[in-house]
Amino acid sequence: MYACLALEFEYCDSTTFVPVDPSLDNCLRCVDYQEIKVQEYMDRSRPTSIPRAIVVVLERDLVDKAKSGDSVTVTGVVTCRWRPVVAGERPDIAVVIRANSISVLSDQASQIAITEELREEFHAFWAARAGTPMRGRDEIVASMCPQVYGLFYIKLAVLLVLISGVARSDESGLRVRGEAHMLLVGDPGTAKSQFLKYAAKLVPRSVLTTGIGSTSAGLTVTAVKDGPEWQLEAGALVLADRGLCCIDEFGNIREAEKSTILEAMEQQSISVAKAGIVCKLNARCSVLAAMNPKGKYDVHSSLAVNTALSTPLLSRFDLVLVLLDTHDEQWDAHVSSFLLGSRDGEEAGLGSDGEQDVWEFDRLQAYLAFVKTAFQPETTPASEQVLTRYYQLQRQRDTLNAARTTIRLLESLIRLAQAHARLMFRNKVLLADAVIAVVLMESTMLSASILGAIDTLHTTFPEDSDLFYAELESLVLRRLDMAHLGGGSQVV
């Protein structure tokens, strides 16, 4: 151990150090020390400006309290110090914070104020719609990206991805992720980027990036040399921990960089071994990606061929929704009227009844954060039978899609059913939740679908939501040879 024995008020010009006796009182000055760089939230920074950052000094028990990508609140004293002296450059003074306390915010709800009044409002909303639950659900779904006409299944799927399912851990420490991932594959002009931007605004902790300008270090983590030492800087997936990572132009990411996100999407962590630093960072986020197909989409080919994505990467997405811009004269007329300002109920894609209320943005944001923390849905026998039967049926089909029909398919169905139960404000996964999960999964199967091809782009909100669901449930159960489970969405 080496220390400078000069008193505080004296100046020491020595350039050498001598060993000291550890029993001396001077050694009590040696404490644990760490410097971290804190960056402001990107959504709170001024437009067209780079998020500002400041160095925070941690000492004693505050060391190693936070890792790269954590959202923290720091309380401390602002002070100045000299920057490291570099030959040939002018000395400069830097502003730093000497921390007194640091707290890690790992929950989205802590970033959104959910008052008791809001909780009572949510309970009253569902109590008033106890007889027509699907109509109440569609009111919430219609509030998702209201500037886009129709696209009922897409809006429902995006909401379920934002809510996600329940993570499970066993006694051995093995963790099965609860966060859902979705990939939008569609022709230009099908509102893919609009959904990504709106979803990023809804989730308090979110990162929006593009595949063109992102490298593997930009998506995961990079090592930067700051003076004589190396430090880690978190990428998009680490910064979005406990939140949402939106990746536009996903198909333009280079092959070598796509492989780096495989661990982050399934294990929800990123292993780092760079510049002598070996550690593991959390990346517990949902991934919402969008891309254009390679050339014209061929419905008779598999997703792997149309997207040029590898099977391991495709299997990690819970939903892969395809938006094909087919020429439909009636649909084009409705969209034109909507864009030109004729926003009555039918032309807004909300059905013929135009009295559906669209929730305000703040109310929808608070509702998503509330249901994600307040409900931990558990499956029921009826829902388990439907999900298991559908999984077995897909595994036995001749038109087997290797990229989708893995064991991850069953895990995806469970996550989607749990997310729908949360959206419906309940703690049990009922038959209705399992049916909706199957219908959404059917829209990703295309040629392997048991319900036939579902055109997810040209879908509007049903006129009678509960009647529409009753017909949908009857059709799904018949195709699964489980018609005996029918009789209403409350079957458990």
Side-chain angles (χ1 to χ4, degrees), residues 411-445:
E411 294 178 350
S412 299
L413 289 168
I414 296 173
R415 278 190 289 268
L416 293 174
Q418 290 174 339
H420 192 266
R422 282 176 164 175
L423 180 62
M424 299 295 290
F425 213 71
R426 55 176 175 245
N427 254 326
K428 284 187 177 182
V429 179
L430 303 183
L431 178 64
D433 306 315
V435 170
I436 295 299
V438 169
V439 172
L440 288 178
M441 192 61 68
E442 277 291 278
S443 60
T444 72
M445 291 301 174

PDB file of all heavy atoms in Angstrom, residues 411-445:
ATOM      1  N   GLU A 411     -44.280 -21.071 -25.800  1.00  0.00           N
ATOM      2  CA  GLU A 411     -43.969 -20.011 -24.837  1.00  0.00           C
ATOM      3  C   GLU A 411     -44.535 -18.671 -25.303  1.00  0.00           C
ATOM      4  O   GLU A 411     -45.020 -17.878 -24.483  1.00  0.00           O
ATOM      5  CB  GLU A 411     -42.453 -19.912 -24.664  1.00  0.00           C
ATOM      6  CG  GLU A 411     -41.831 -21.145 -24.017  1.00  0.00           C
ATOM      7  CD  GLU A 411     -40.323 -21.026 -23.918  1.00  0.00           C
ATOM      8  OE1 GLU A 411     -39.756 -20.076 -24.518  1.00  0.00           O
ATOM      9  OE2 GLU A 411     -39.698 -21.876 -23.249  1.00  0.00           O
ATOM     10  N   SER A 412     -44.483 -18.420 -26.611  1.00  0.00           N
ATOM     11  CA  SER A 412     -45.047 -17.178 -27.144  1.00  0.00           C
ATOM     12  C   SER A 412     -46.557 -17.133 -26.941  1.00  0.00           C
ATOM     13  O   SER A 412     -47.117 -16.086 -26.585  1.00  0.00           O
ATOM     14  CB  SER A 412     -44.715 -17.046 -28.633  1.00  0.00           C
ATOM     15  OG  SER A 412     -43.321 -17.008 -28.840  1.00  0.00           O
ATOM     16  N   LEU A 413     -47.244 -18.257 -27.165  1.00  0.00           N
ATOM     17  CA  LEU A 413     -48.689 -18.303 -26.958  1.00  0.00           C
ATOM     18  C   LEU A 413     -49.036 -17.995 -25.502  1.00  0.00           C
ATOM     19  O   LEU A 413     -50.003 -17.261 -25.223  1.00  0.00           O
ATOM     20  CB  LEU A 413     -49.225 -19.680 -27.347  1.00  0.00           C
ATOM     21  CG  LEU A 413     -49.245 -20.010 -28.845  1.00  0.00           C
ATOM     22  CD1 LEU A 413     -49.528 -21.490 -29.059  1.00  0.00           C
ATOM     23  CD2 LEU A 413     -50.290 -19.165 -29.570  1.00  0.00           C
ATOM     24  N   ILE A 414     -48.267 -18.532 -24.568  1.00  0.00           N
ATOM     25  CA  ILE A 414     -48.526 -18.266 -23.145  1.00  0.00           C
ATOM     26  C   ILE A 414     -48.327 -16.792 -22.830  1.00  0.00           C
ATOM     27  O   ILE A 414     -49.142 -16.172 -22.120  1.00  0.00           O
ATOM     28  CB  ILE A 414     -47.607 -19.153 -22.275  1.00  0.00           C
ATOM     29  CG1 ILE A 414     -47.940 -20.625 -22.485  1.00  0.00           C
ATOM     30  CG2 ILE A 414     -47.746 -18.786 -20.804  1.00  0.00           C
ATOM     31  CD1 ILE A 414     -46.982 -21.576 -21.791  1.00  0.00           C
ATOM     32  N   ARG A 415     -47.254 -16.202 -23.357  1.00  0.00           N
ATOM     33  CA  ARG A 415     -47.005 -14.781 -23.091  1.00  0.00           C
ATOM     34  C   ARG A 415     -48.109 -13.907 -23.656  1.00  0.00           C
ATOM     35  O   ARG A 415     -48.564 -12.951 -22.999  1.00  0.00           O
ATOM     36  CB  ARG A 415     -45.649 -14.371 -23.685  1.00  0.00           C
ATOM     37  CG  ARG A 415     -44.465 -14.713 -22.808  1.00  0.00           C
ATOM     38  CD  ARG A 415     -43.196 -14.067 -23.341  1.00  0.00           C
ATOM     39  NE  ARG A 415     -42.753 -14.708 -24.561  1.00  0.00           N
ATOM     40  CZ  ARG A 415     -41.890 -15.713 -24.609  1.00  0.00           C
ATOM     41  NH1 ARG A 415     -41.380 -16.207 -23.496  1.00  0.00           N
ATOM     42  NH2 ARG A 415     -41.503 -16.239 -25.760  1.00  0.00           N
ATOM     43  N   LEU A 416     -48.564 -14.201 -24.871  1.00  0.00           N
ATOM     44  CA  LEU A 416     -49.626 -13.395 -25.485  1.00  0.00           C
ATOM     45  C   LEU A 416     -50.936 -13.537 -24.714  1.00  0.00           C
ATOM     46  O   LEU A 416     -51.668 -12.550 -24.524  1.00  0.00           O
ATOM     47  CB  LEU A 416     -49.815 -13.801 -26.943  1.00  0.00           C
ATOM     48  CG  LEU A 416     -48.655 -13.489 -27.890  1.00  0.00           C
ATOM     49  CD1 LEU A 416     -48.922 -14.075 -29.267  1.00  0.00           C
ATOM     50  CD2 LEU A 416     -48.432 -11.989 -27.988  1.00  0.00           C
ATOM     51  N   ALA A 417     -51.254 -14.758 -24.268  1.00  0.00           N
ATOM     52  CA  ALA A 417     -52.481 -14.956 -23.494  1.00  0.00           C
ATOM     53  C   ALA A 417     -52.401 -14.222 -22.160  1.00  0.00           C
ATOM     54  O   ALA A 417     -53.393 -13.623 -21.709  1.00  0.00           O
ATOM     55  CB  ALA A 417     -52.714 -16.455 -23.274  1.00  0.00           C
ATOM     56  N   GLN A 418     -51.251 -14.241 -21.506  1.00  0.00           N
ATOM     57  CA  GLN A 418     -51.098 -13.511 -20.247  1.00  0.00           C
ATOM     58  C   GLN A 418     -51.201 -12.007 -20.472  1.00  0.00           C
ATOM     59  O   GLN A 418     -51.817 -11.298 -19.667  1.00  0.00           O
ATOM     60  CB  GLN A 418     -49.746 -13.863 -19.614  1.00  0.00           C
ATOM     61  CG  GLN A 418     -49.662 -15.275 -19.077  1.00  0.00           C
ATOM     62  CD  GLN A 418     -48.265 -15.626 -18.601  1.00  0.00           C
ATOM     63  OE1 GLN A 418     -47.275 -14.995 -18.992  1.00  0.00           O
ATOM     64  NE2 GLN A 418     -48.162 -16.635 -17.754  1.00  0.00           N
ATOM     65  N   ALA A 419     -50.619 -11.512 -21.555  1.00  0.00           N
ATOM     66  CA  ALA A 419     -50.707 -10.084 -21.854  1.00  0.00           C
ATOM     67  C   ALA A 419     -52.150  -9.665 -22.126  1.00  0.00           C
ATOM     68  O   ALA A 419     -52.595  -8.589 -21.685  1.00  0.00           O
ATOM     69  CB  ALA A 419     -49.821  -9.753 -23.055  1.00  0.00           C
ATOM     70  N   HIS A 420     -52.919 -10.516 -22.819  1.00  0.00           N
ATOM     71  CA  HIS A 420     -54.322 -10.184 -23.080  1.00  0.00           C
ATOM     72  C   HIS A 420     -55.133 -10.197 -21.795  1.00  0.00           C
ATOM     73  O   HIS A 420     -56.051  -9.380 -21.614  1.00  0.00           O
ATOM     74  CB  HIS A 420     -54.915 -11.159 -24.098  1.00  0.00           C
ATOM     75  CG  HIS A 420     -56.243 -10.741 -24.634  1.00  0.00           C
ATOM     76  ND1 HIS A 420     -57.443 -11.181 -24.083  1.00  0.00           N
ATOM     77  CD2 HIS A 420     -56.594  -9.897 -25.646  1.00  0.00           C
ATOM     78  CE1 HIS A 420     -58.445 -10.649 -24.738  1.00  0.00           C
ATOM     79  NE2 HIS A 420     -57.971  -9.867 -25.699  1.00  0.00           N
ATOM     80  N   ALA A 421     -54.809 -11.112 -20.875  1.00  0.00           N
ATOM     81  CA  ALA A 421     -55.498 -11.118 -19.586  1.00  0.00           C
ATOM     82  C   ALA A 421     -55.206  -9.840 -18.816  1.00  0.00           C
ATOM     83  O   ALA A 421     -56.098  -9.268 -18.172  1.00  0.00           O
ATOM     84  CB  ALA A 421     -55.067 -12.349 -18.778  1.00  0.00           C
ATOM     85  N   ARG A 422     -53.979  -9.369 -18.866  1.00  0.00           N
ATOM     86  CA  ARG A 422     -53.655  -8.095 -18.223  1.00  0.00           C
ATOM     87  C   ARG A 422     -54.418  -6.943 -18.874  1.00  0.00           C
ATOM     88  O   ARG A 422     -54.916  -6.056 -18.190  1.00  0.00           O
ATOM     89  CB  ARG A 422     -52.150  -7.840 -18.321  1.00  0.00           C
ATOM     90  CG  ARG A 422     -51.304  -8.614 -17.322  1.00  0.00           C
ATOM     91  CD  ARG A 422     -49.825  -8.375 -17.566  1.00  0.00           C
ATOM     92  NE  ARG A 422     -49.021  -8.783 -16.426  1.00  0.00           N
ATOM     93  CZ  ARG A 422     -47.688  -8.773 -16.403  1.00  0.00           C
ATOM     94  NH1 ARG A 422     -47.030  -8.379 -17.490  1.00  0.00           N
ATOM     95  NH2 ARG A 422     -47.027  -9.150 -15.324  1.00  0.00           N
ATOM     96  N   LEU A 423     -54.475  -6.966 -20.199  1.00  0.00           N
ATOM     97  CA  LEU A 423     -55.209  -5.915 -20.908  1.00  0.00           C
ATOM     98  C   LEU A 423     -56.676  -5.915 -20.515  1.00  0.00           C
ATOM     99  O   LEU A 423     -57.306  -4.852 -20.424  1.00  0.00           O
ATOM    100  CB  LEU A 423     -55.060  -6.106 -22.415  1.00  0.00           C
ATOM    101  CG  LEU A 423     -55.758  -5.098 -23.335  1.00  0.00           C
ATOM    102  CD1 LEU A 423     -55.210  -3.696 -23.113  1.00  0.00           C
ATOM    103  CD2 LEU A 423     -55.610  -5.498 -24.794  1.00  0.00           C
ATOM    104  N   MET A 424     -57.225  -7.114 -20.242  1.00  0.00           N
ATOM    105  CA  MET A 424     -58.621  -7.240 -19.838  1.00  0.00           C
ATOM    106  C   MET A 424     -58.829  -7.041 -18.332  1.00  0.00           C
ATOM    107  O   MET A 424     -59.909  -7.275 -17.809  1.00  0.00           O
ATOM    108  CB  MET A 424     -59.156  -8.615 -20.248  1.00  0.00           C
ATOM    109  CG  MET A 424     -59.135  -8.870 -21.748  1.00  0.00           C
ATOM    110  SD  MET A 424     -60.236  -7.792 -22.665  1.00  0.00           S
ATOM    111  CE  MET A 424     -61.821  -8.425 -22.159  1.00  0.00           C
ATOM    112  N   PHE A 425     -57.745  -6.659 -17.620  1.00  0.00           N
ATOM    113  CA  PHE A 425     -57.851  -6.260 -16.214  1.00  0.00           C
ATOM    114  C   PHE A 425     -58.227  -7.437 -15.314  1.00  0.00           C
ATOM    115  O   PHE A 425     -59.123  -7.353 -14.486  1.00  0.00           O
ATOM    116  CB  PHE A 425     -58.897  -5.146 -16.069  1.00  0.00           C
ATOM    117  CG  PHE A 425     -58.585  -4.150 -14.984  1.00  0.00           C
ATOM    118  CD1 PHE A 425     -57.547  -3.252 -15.151  1.00  0.00           C
ATOM    119  CD2 PHE A 425     -59.307  -4.108 -13.806  1.00  0.00           C
ATOM    120  CE1 PHE A 425     -57.261  -2.325 -14.163  1.00  0.00           C
ATOM    121  CE2 PHE A 425     -59.017  -3.182 -12.819  1.00  0.00           C
ATOM    122  CZ  PHE A 425     -57.991  -2.290 -13.006  1.00  0.00           C
ATOM    123  N   ARG A 426     -57.532  -8.560 -15.468  1.00  0.00           N
ATOM    124  CA  ARG A 426     -57.820  -9.714 -14.635  1.00  0.00           C
ATOM    125  C   ARG A 426     -56.556 -10.526 -14.382  1.00  0.00           C
ATOM    126  O   ARG A 426     -55.549 -10.386 -15.086  1.00  0.00           O
ATOM    127  CB  ARG A 426     -58.904 -10.585 -15.251  1.00  0.00           C
ATOM    128  CG  ARG A 426     -58.639 -11.053 -16.667  1.00  0.00           C
ATOM    129  CD  ARG A 426     -59.719 -11.998 -17.150  1.00  0.00           C
ATOM    130  NE  ARG A 426     -59.556 -12.375 -18.542  1.00  0.00           N
ATOM    131  CZ  ARG A 426     -60.398 -12.061 -19.502  1.00  0.00           C
ATOM    132  NH1 ARG A 426     -61.480 -11.356 -19.239  1.00  0.00           N
ATOM    133  NH2 ARG A 426     -60.184 -12.465 -20.746  1.00  0.00           N
ATOM    134  N   ASN A 427     -56.643 -11.391 -13.373  1.00  0.00           N
ATOM    135  CA  ASN A 427     -55.501 -12.174 -12.914  1.00  0.00           C
ATOM    136  C   ASN A 427     -55.555 -13.622 -13.377  1.00  0.00           C
ATOM    137  O   ASN A 427     -54.738 -14.426 -12.930  1.00  0.00           O
ATOM    138  CB  ASN A 427     -55.412 -12.143 -11.385  1.00  0.00           C
ATOM    139  CG  ASN A 427     -54.264 -11.250 -10.903  1.00  0.00           C
ATOM    140  OD1 ASN A 427     -53.223 -11.161 -11.552  1.00  0.00           O
ATOM    141  ND2 ASN A 427     -54.469 -10.586  -9.793  1.00  0.00           N
ATOM    142  N   LYS A 428     -56.512 -13.967 -14.227  1.00  0.00           N
ATOM    143  CA  LYS A 428     -56.641 -15.322 -14.743  1.00  0.00           C
ATOM    144  C   LYS A 428     -56.646 -15.294 -16.270  1.00  0.00           C
ATOM    145  O   LYS A 428     -57.254 -14.419 -16.883  1.00  0.00           O
ATOM    146  CB  LYS A 428     -57.931 -15.989 -14.244  1.00  0.00           C
ATOM    147  CG  LYS A 428     -57.873 -16.458 -12.804  1.00  0.00           C
ATOM    148  CD  LYS A 428     -59.112 -17.255 -12.462  1.00  0.00           C
ATOM    149  CE  LYS A 428     -59.044 -17.809 -11.034  1.00  0.00           C
ATOM    150  NZ  LYS A 428     -60.242 -18.625 -10.713  1.00  0.00           N
ATOM    151  N   VAL A 429     -55.968 -16.271 -16.844  1.00  0.00           N
ATOM    152  CA  VAL A 429     -55.967 -16.420 -18.305  1.00  0.00           C
ATOM    153  C   VAL A 429     -57.158 -17.297 -18.675  1.00  0.00           C
ATOM    154  O   VAL A 429     -57.135 -18.516 -18.470  1.00  0.00           O
ATOM    155  CB  VAL A 429     -54.655 -17.050 -18.789  1.00  0.00           C
ATOM    156  CG1 VAL A 429     -54.676 -17.216 -20.305  1.00  0.00           C
ATOM    157  CG2 VAL A 429     -53.466 -16.206 -18.365  1.00  0.00           C
ATOM    158  N   LEU A 430     -58.201 -16.695 -19.202  1.00  0.00           N
ATOM    159  CA  LEU A 430     -59.422 -17.415 -19.539  1.00  0.00           C
ATOM    160  C   LEU A 430     -59.368 -17.924 -20.980  1.00  0.00           C
ATOM    161  O   LEU A 430     -58.394 -17.714 -21.711  1.00  0.00           O
ATOM    162  CB  LEU A 430     -60.641 -16.508 -19.329  1.00  0.00           C
ATOM    163  CG  LEU A 430     -60.809 -15.911 -17.927  1.00  0.00           C
ATOM    164  CD1 LEU A 430     -62.081 -15.094 -17.854  1.00  0.00           C
ATOM    165  CD2 LEU A 430     -60.791 -16.989 -16.860  1.00  0.00           C
ATOM    166  N   LEU A 431     -60.444 -18.593 -21.368  1.00  0.00           N
ATOM    167  CA  LEU A 431     -60.526 -19.132 -22.720  1.00  0.00           C
ATOM    168  C   LEU A 431     -60.416 -18.025 -23.764  1.00  0.00           C
ATOM    169  O   LEU A 431     -59.780 -18.202 -24.802  1.00  0.00           O
ATOM    170  CB  LEU A 431     -61.851 -19.889 -22.888  1.00  0.00           C
ATOM    171  CG  LEU A 431     -62.127 -20.484 -24.279  1.00  0.00           C
ATOM    172  CD1 LEU A 431     -61.105 -21.555 -24.615  1.00  0.00           C
ATOM    173  CD2 LEU A 431     -63.544 -21.056 -24.334  1.00  0.00           C
ATOM    174  N   ALA A 432     -61.009 -16.877 -23.485  1.00  0.00           N
ATOM    175  CA  ALA A 432     -60.961 -15.771 -24.444  1.00  0.00           C
ATOM    176  C   ALA A 432     -59.530 -15.330 -24.712  1.00  0.00           C
ATOM    177  O   ALA A 432     -59.163 -15.023 -25.861  1.00  0.00           O
ATOM    178  CB  ALA A 432     -61.786 -14.591 -23.909  1.00  0.00           C
ATOM    179  N   ASP A 433     -58.705 -15.287 -23.683  1.00  0.00           N
ATOM    180  CA  ASP A 433     -57.317 -14.867 -23.862  1.00  0.00           C
ATOM    181  C   ASP A 433     -56.554 -15.866 -24.728  1.00  0.00           C
ATOM    182  O   ASP A 433     -55.740 -15.473 -25.574  1.00  0.00           O
ATOM    183  CB  ASP A 433     -56.646 -14.736 -22.492  1.00  0.00           C
ATOM    184  CG  ASP A 433     -57.414 -13.818 -21.557  1.00  0.00           C
ATOM    185  OD1 ASP A 433     -57.826 -12.738 -22.019  1.00  0.00           O
ATOM    186  OD2 ASP A 433     -57.630 -14.189 -20.392  1.00  0.00           O
ATOM    187  N   ALA A 434     -56.806 -17.164 -24.517  1.00  0.00           N
ATOM    188  CA  ALA A 434     -56.139 -18.181 -25.326  1.00  0.00           C
ATOM    189  C   ALA A 434     -56.579 -18.098 -26.785  1.00  0.00           C
ATOM    190  O   ALA A 434     -55.764 -18.250 -27.706  1.00  0.00           O
ATOM    191  CB  ALA A 434     -56.420 -19.569 -24.758  1.00  0.00           C
ATOM    192  N   VAL A 435     -57.857 -17.854 -27.023  1.00  0.00           N
ATOM    193  CA  VAL A 435     -58.376 -17.754 -28.395  1.00  0.00           C
ATOM    194  C   VAL A 435     -57.743 -16.568 -29.118  1.00  0.00           C
ATOM    195  O   VAL A 435     -57.322 -16.674 -30.282  1.00  0.00           O
ATOM    196  CB  VAL A 435     -59.907 -17.652 -28.378  1.00  0.00           C
ATOM    197  CG1 VAL A 435     -60.437 -17.296 -29.770  1.00  0.00           C
ATOM    198  CG2 VAL A 435     -60.527 -18.962 -27.906  1.00  0.00           C
ATOM    199  N   ILE A 436     -57.657 -15.414 -28.448  1.00  0.00           N
ATOM    200  CA  ILE A 436     -57.053 -14.239 -29.081  1.00  0.00           C
ATOM    201  C   ILE A 436     -55.579 -14.500 -29.374  1.00  0.00           C
ATOM    202  O   ILE A 436     -55.054 -14.098 -30.429  1.00  0.00           O
ATOM    203  CB  ILE A 436     -57.215 -13.003 -28.177  1.00  0.00           C
ATOM    204  CG1 ILE A 436     -58.708 -12.644 -28.036  1.00  0.00           C
ATOM    205  CG2 ILE A 436     -56.447 -11.824 -28.742  1.00  0.00           C
ATOM    206  CD1 ILE A 436     -59.390 -12.291 -29.335  1.00  0.00           C
ATOM    207  N   ALA A 437     -54.871 -15.194 -28.477  1.00  0.00           N
ATOM    208  CA  ALA A 437     -53.471 -15.515 -28.718  1.00  0.00           C
ATOM    209  C   ALA A 437     -53.329 -16.403 -29.952  1.00  0.00           C
ATOM    210  O   ALA A 437     -52.418 -16.212 -30.768  1.00  0.00           O
ATOM    211  CB  ALA A 437     -52.869 -16.198 -27.487  1.00  0.00           C
ATOM    212  N   VAL A 438     -54.229 -17.363 -30.118  1.00  0.00           N
ATOM    213  CA  VAL A 438     -54.196 -18.244 -31.282  1.00  0.00           C
ATOM    214  C   VAL A 438     -54.472 -17.451 -32.555  1.00  0.00           C
ATOM    215  O   VAL A 438     -53.800 -17.633 -33.582  1.00  0.00           O
ATOM    216  CB  VAL A 438     -55.205 -19.390 -31.113  1.00  0.00           C
ATOM    217  CG1 VAL A 438     -55.384 -20.158 -32.420  1.00  0.00           C
ATOM    218  CG2 VAL A 438     -54.757 -20.336 -30.013  1.00  0.00           C
ATOM    219  N   VAL A 439     -55.452 -16.550 -32.522  1.00  0.00           N
ATOM    220  CA  VAL A 439     -55.796 -15.767 -33.719  1.00  0.00           C
ATOM    221  C   VAL A 439     -54.619 -14.892 -34.143  1.00  0.00           C
ATOM    222  O   VAL A 439     -54.297 -14.787 -35.339  1.00  0.00           O
ATOM    223  CB  VAL A 439     -57.045 -14.915 -33.441  1.00  0.00           C
ATOM    224  CG1 VAL A 439     -57.300 -13.953 -34.596  1.00  0.00           C
ATOM    225  CG2 VAL A 439     -58.265 -15.814 -33.241  1.00  0.00           C
ATOM    226  N   LEU A 440     -53.967 -14.244 -33.170  1.00  0.00           N
ATOM    227  CA  LEU A 440     -52.816 -13.411 -33.520  1.00  0.00           C
ATOM    228  C   LEU A 440     -51.674 -14.256 -34.068  1.00  0.00           C
ATOM    229  O   LEU A 440     -50.989 -13.850 -35.016  1.00  0.00           O
ATOM    230  CB  LEU A 440     -52.353 -12.629 -32.287  1.00  0.00           C
ATOM    231  CG  LEU A 440     -53.263 -11.489 -31.827  1.00  0.00           C
ATOM    232  CD1 LEU A 440     -52.707 -10.838 -30.573  1.00  0.00           C
ATOM    233  CD2 LEU A 440     -53.424 -10.447 -32.925  1.00  0.00           C
ATOM    234  N   MET A 441     -51.465 -15.427 -33.487  1.00  0.00           N
ATOM    235  CA  MET A 441     -50.413 -16.300 -33.987  1.00  0.00           C
ATOM    236  C   MET A 441     -50.750 -16.812 -35.386  1.00  0.00           C
ATOM    237  O   MET A 441     -49.848 -17.019 -36.213  1.00  0.00           O
ATOM    238  CB  MET A 441     -50.203 -17.471 -33.026  1.00  0.00           C
ATOM    239  CG  MET A 441     -48.956 -18.283 -33.292  1.00  0.00           C
ATOM    240  SD  MET A 441     -47.431 -17.322 -33.159  1.00  0.00           S
ATOM    241  CE  MET A 441     -47.427 -16.974 -31.401  1.00  0.00           C
ATOM    242  N   GLU A 442     -52.037 -16.992 -35.669  1.00  0.00           N
ATOM    243  CA  GLU A 442     -52.454 -17.450 -36.994  1.00  0.00           C
ATOM    244  C   GLU A 442     -52.078 -16.442 -38.074  1.00  0.00           C
ATOM    245  O   GLU A 442     -51.772 -16.822 -39.198  1.00  0.00           O
ATOM    246  CB  GLU A 442     -53.970 -17.658 -37.002  1.00  0.00           C
ATOM    247  CG  GLU A 442     -54.410 -18.985 -36.446  1.00  0.00           C
ATOM    248  CD  GLU A 442     -54.004 -20.128 -37.347  1.00  0.00           C
ATOM    249  OE1 GLU A 442     -54.700 -20.393 -38.326  1.00  0.00           O
ATOM    250  OE2 GLU A 442     -52.950 -20.741 -37.082  1.00  0.00           O
ATOM    251  N   SER A 443     -52.099 -15.173 -37.740  1.00  0.00           N
ATOM    252  CA  SER A 443     -51.768 -14.158 -38.734  1.00  0.00           C
ATOM    253  C   SER A 443     -50.300 -14.195 -39.127  1.00  0.00           C
ATOM    254  O   SER A 443     -49.901 -13.578 -40.112  1.00  0.00           O
ATOM    255  CB  SER A 443     -52.128 -12.764 -38.207  1.00  0.00           C
ATOM    256  OG  SER A 443     -51.401 -12.486 -37.018  1.00  0.00           O
ATOM    257  N   THR A 444     -49.462 -14.911 -38.342  1.00  0.00           N
ATOM    258  CA  THR A 444     -48.045 -15.033 -38.680  1.00  0.00           C
ATOM    259  C   THR A 444     -47.751 -16.295 -39.458  1.00  0.00           C
ATOM    260  O   THR A 444     -46.649 -16.447 -39.995  1.00  0.00           O
ATOM    261  CB  THR A 444     -47.183 -15.038 -37.399  1.00  0.00           C
ATOM    262  OG1 THR A 444     -47.376 -16.286 -36.712  1.00  0.00           O
ATOM    263  CG2 THR A 444     -47.573 -13.906 -36.489  1.00  0.00           C
ATOM    264  N   MET A 445     -48.713 -17.232 -39.509  1.00  0.00           N
ATOM    265  CA  MET A 445     -48.444 -18.519 -40.138  1.00  0.00           C
ATOM    266  C   MET A 445     -48.609 -18.496 -41.654  1.00  0.00           C
ATOM    267  O   MET A 445     -47.953 -19.237 -42.371  1.00  0.00           O
ATOM    268  CB  MET A 445     -49.369 -19.597 -39.538  1.00  0.00           C
ATOM    269  CG  MET A 445     -49.033 -19.925 -38.097  1.00  0.00           C
ATOM    270  SD  MET A 445     -47.347 -20.516 -37.938  1.00  0.00           S
ATOM    271  CE  MET A 445     -47.189 -20.639 -36.176  1.00  0.00           C
TER     272      MET A 445
END
